[in-house]
Amino acid sequence: MDTASAPPRALRLRLRHLRDRLLVALCLVALALAVIPLVWVLWEVVGVGVRHVSWEFLTTLPQPPTVGGGGWANAIVGSVVVVGMAMVMGVPVGVATGIYMSEYGDNLLGKSARFLSEVLAGLPSIVAGIVAYGLIVVTMGRFSAVSGSAALALLFIPIVAITTQEALKMVPGHQREASFALGVSEAATTLRVVLPAAMGNVLTGVMIATARIAGETAPLLFTAFNSRYWMEGVDRPTATIPVNIYSYAISPFEHWHQQAWAGALVLLAMVLALNVAARTLWARRARFMAGD
Amino acid sequence: MAEQMITRDLKVSFGDHQAVKGVDMEIRPRAVTAIIGPSGCGKTTFLRALNRMHDHTPSARVSGEVLLGDRDIYGDGVDPVELRIRVGMVFQRPNPFPTMSIRDNITFAPKRHGLAKGKALDDLVERVLRQAALWDEVKDRLGASAVGLSGGQQQRLCIARALAVEPRVLLMDEPASALDPTATQRIEDLIYELKKDYTIVIVTHNMQQAARVSDYTAFFYMGLLVEFGETDGLFTNPREERTEAYITGRFG
């Protein structure tokens, strides 16, 4: 064989090595571009926020800017209630939709549900607010926490439906067959075999969706609206953390800007705490499923 | 308890592809019937037709008759869910439920069928684990995850789980092909024990295994049942040339 026409073996190997390292380097640059802004945002929120979070901020009602002091206790409660109600509405509907799409959705209805979920998952959040405004606020004749929850649920459901579907599809078919072969019905197989096996990923979807809606501002502007007082009921307007951040941040008062940073930190901490709690509760079962 | 199964002109197709092309076969009770043949000959497809597993594959079409006792399992008014309580199945790869303990793997189906509860359920767990020769290895950790067991133990658990619903017929789809030789040996011993009480049909790639465990052997080729008879006769004195070619290793 003529070896003179091809580059020597050693050179080819070195070239290949170089290309390999170049690709890894490019991936690292891309990673840095993605991670740096994230870390920076976290750094700012935690760094600035932590200076302005205080017991007073967490436990008292807002004060007029001229008075100074005061806190966001009503908004913190408001956010918990509004997001909590959105989850109560959204988890059953979203998970059930995901189950249908994955296990029974090999038909026109399933296809339509998948298409609609994907469209709705990309719904501009302010549109969800308008829908809830038109359907609930106008009908009830006033702003309310529950209308805010409905708007958030509209954003929450498609995300949970899609992630639940994906989670169930990842459960191997032989698990379903094992159950069918024991004379267990499809419904029981879905609920007792497939869903438990997928629960970790379903939970992840719920957490991602919760984090998403917990920070939504636009859908709440004309549904939950805002309030300077404690919430009087779910059929009344309420303050929430994101809307407060928005209105405090655009105010001319330095003191309010600081409170907006503190609010951002509290929101972040709440989402994180929920995530950690869910993961911890789940960890034991996950270990069991891994065979420990 | 054990019942015979008879297929009459059984055909299975997926879309345009006919995988089983009209098979007549009599499966004797209290005996092991082995199904052998090269990959793609339709042996697993045939086996899965015996407990209507194809019902879950939208493109699958089954025609012909499959009698369990004297009733056609594809006839009107037969509930496939109920049928599978009588015709159990063990799969190629051990597939215990990962979310359940060893005990729950076994009790899951009997509980749903209302077969036993309380003390009777405990007895059932012990009985089927003993039948599957697994009791001594797991009796102290029934609450542990089934995924922590070895592959061979998992497969015996799957057999115990299948026995727990008290089937008449046990279908086994290459039950030892994912296991090491020692575990394979144990499964084969188990099959030998179980045939006293059950009708067993086993699909296998391994001709030595077929010769060791079965009383009857069916040779499938291209979706057809080429030869069917007592295992001894089929292996020592095959009537068909294709059978001989296959068992002597000339193709497949």
Side-chain angles (χ1 to χ4, degrees):
Chain A
M1 183 178 157
D2 179 23
T3 49
S5 60
R9 196 179 152 74
L11 183 67
R12 262 184 319 180
L13 263 177
R14 273 188 55 186
L15 270 172
R16 201 187 286 177
H17 216 71
L18 215 66
R19 267 209 305 272
D20 180 48
R21 296 178 99 170
L22 190 71
L23 192 69
V24 173
L26 278 173
C27 289
L28 282 173
V29 170
L31 178 74
L33 283 176
V35 167
I36 287 169
L38 255 175
V39 173
W40 187 50
V41 166
L42 278 175
W43 184 260
E44 279 292 303
V45 170
V46 174
V48 181
V50 90
R51 288 204 299 272
H52 304 293
V53 174
S54 64
W55 188 245
E56 188 190 8
F57 179 77
L58 297 173
T59 56
T60 65
L61 289 177
Q63 293 289 345
T66 46
V67 177
W72 283 22
N74 61 337
I76 294 170
V77 172
S79 262
V80 170
V81 170
V82 170
V83 172
M85 285 195 302
M87 289 175 77
V88 169
M89 297 177 212
V91 170
V93 178
V95 170
T97 306
I99 289 175
Y100 184 86
M101 294 192 301
S102 164
E103 305 299 303
Y104 307 95
D106 204 4
N107 50 36
L108 187 66
L109 183 60
K111 280 197 192 93
S112 319
R114 262 191 295 278
F115 176 71
L116 279 176
S117 297
E118 275 156 28
V119 171
L120 280 175
L123 184 76
S125 58
I126 195 150
V127 176
I130 294 169
V131 171
Y133 176 83
L135 289 179
I136 303 175
V137 176
V138 170
T139 312
M140 283 174 68
R142 63 165 168 260
F143 297 117
S144 61
V146 74
S147 64
S149 298
L152 294 184
L154 212 56
L155 300 167
F156 184 87
I157 288 167
I159 305 175
V160 171
I162 291 170
T163 50
T164 299
Q165 178 198 225
E166 300 295 325
L168 296 189
K169 284 222 179 287
M170 273 168 63
V171 176
H174 65 69
Q175 287 292 314
R176 295 175 181 83
E177 288 198 333
S179 182
F180 293 151
L182 293 166
V184 176
S185 66
E186 278 196 48
T189 299
T190 300
L191 291 179
R192 304 290 302 278
V193 174
V194 182
L195 190 58
M199 198 51 95
N201 289 328
V202 171
L203 205 65
T204 303
V206 169
M207 287 300 118
I208 289 171
T210 306
R212 156 95 201 271
I213 63 167
E216 279 295 347
T217 313
L220 300 178
L221 285 173
F222 32 81
T223 51
F225 195 59
N226 208 336
S227 159
R228 287 176 47 213
Y229 310 102
W230 293 106
M231 194 196 327
E232 288 166 12
V234 295
D235 58 340
R236 304 284 165 154
T238 179
T240 54
I241 299 175
V243 173
N244 260 14
I245 293 173
Y246 168 70
S247 42
Y248 276 52
I250 59 171
S251 78
F253 313 111
E254 178 59 23
H255 164 61
W256 275 25
H257 295 170
Q258 292 168 353
Q259 292 204 328
W261 282 106
L265 177 63
V266 169
L267 184 63
L268 197 68
M270 281 167 54
V271 170
L272 194 70
L274 185 69
N275 238 303
V276 170
R279 297 270 139 223
T280 315
L281 283 176
W282 184 251
R284 254 186 51 157
R285 266 193 79 70
R287 275 201 303 278
F288 180 83
M289 282 167 65
D292 285 350
Chain B
M1 281 292 275
E3 280 186 82
Q4 71 167 359
M5 291 191 94
I6 297 173
T7 72
R8 286 189 186 137
D9 197 26
L10 181 65
K11 292 175 182 155
V12 185
S13 45
F14 302 98
D16 302 336
H17 172 68
Q18 196 169 36
V20 173
K21 300 171 181 168
V23 169
D24 295 88
M25 195 161 138
E26 260 182 61
I27 297 161
R28 308 282 166 84
R30 280 177 215 83
V32 178
T33 302
I35 300 177
I36 59 170
S39 297
C41 70
K43 54 192 190 299
T44 293
T45 304
F46 174 80
L47 190 78
R48 292 166 64 90
L50 300 182
N51 69 341
R52 293 186 59 170
M53 285 306 270
H54 295 305
D55 287 20
H56 297 283
T57 310
S59 67
R61 292 284 169 273
V62 179
S63 69
E65 284 185 348
V66 178
L67 302 178
L68 173 65
D70 50 15
R71 191 146 183 223
D72 181 9
I73 66 169
Y74 287 94
D76 292 337
V78 175
D79 179 2
V81 171
E82 221 140 279
L83 163 73
R84 296 192 196 110
I85 300 176
R86 300 209 288 162
V87 184
M89 191 165 210
V90 174
F91 297 84
Q92 185 170 1
R93 294 176 58 119
N95 54 2
F97 301 123
T99 57
M100 299 182 199
S101 67
I102 293 170
R103 184 178 191 281
D104 292 345
N105 260 275
I106 292 168
T107 59
F108 172 59
K111 268 190 195 158
R112 306 214 70 79
H113 306 323
L115 290 176
K117 55 182 167 187
K119 178 75 171 69
L121 202 58
D122 293 335
D123 293 344
L124 175 76
V125 170
E126 178 169 348
R127 196 188 79 226
V128 296
L129 281 172
R130 282 190 189 282
Q131 271 185 293
L134 189 60
W135 174 251
D136 290 330
E137 292 159 62
V138 301
K139 63 171 187 253
D140 299 322
R141 48 169 174 154
L142 293 175
S145 168
V147 190
L149 299 173
S150 74
Q153 288 174 325
Q154 286 186 18
Q155 192 63 306
R156 277 179 282 145
L157 176 63
C158 291
I159 293 172
R161 182 176 71 181
L163 298 178
V165 293
E166 298 173 352
R168 314 292 204 258
V169 180
L170 198 55
L171 309 175
M172 303 178 120
D173 186 5
E174 301 191 48
S177 66
L179 306 179
D180 66 48
T182 318
T184 300
Q185 175 72 50
R186 303 200 62 158
I187 300 286
E188 288 182 9
D189 292 346
L190 187 56
I191 292 170
Y192 193 81
E193 281 300 308
L194 292 174
K195 78 171 179 183
K196 292 172 190 156
D197 302 309
Y198 302 92
T199 305
I200 295 176
V201 186
I202 176 173
V203 162
T204 178
H205 252 109
N206 180 329
M207 278 176 284
Q208 286 76 26
Q209 184 170 64
R212 281 193 301 265
V213 303
S214 70
D215 303 292
Y216 300 94
T217 297
F219 171 59
F220 274 59
Y221 184 61
M222 311 265 284
L224 290 168
L225 176 59
V226 173
E227 187 165 349
F228 178 49
E230 289 190 22
T231 300
D232 287 343
L234 187 131
F235 276 97
T236 54
N237 194 12
R239 290 189 304 272
E240 293 280 333
E241 199 184 327
R242 281 171 298 178
T243 313
E244 190 186 352
Y246 181 68
I247 61 178
T248 54
R250 272 188 274 139
F251 75 95

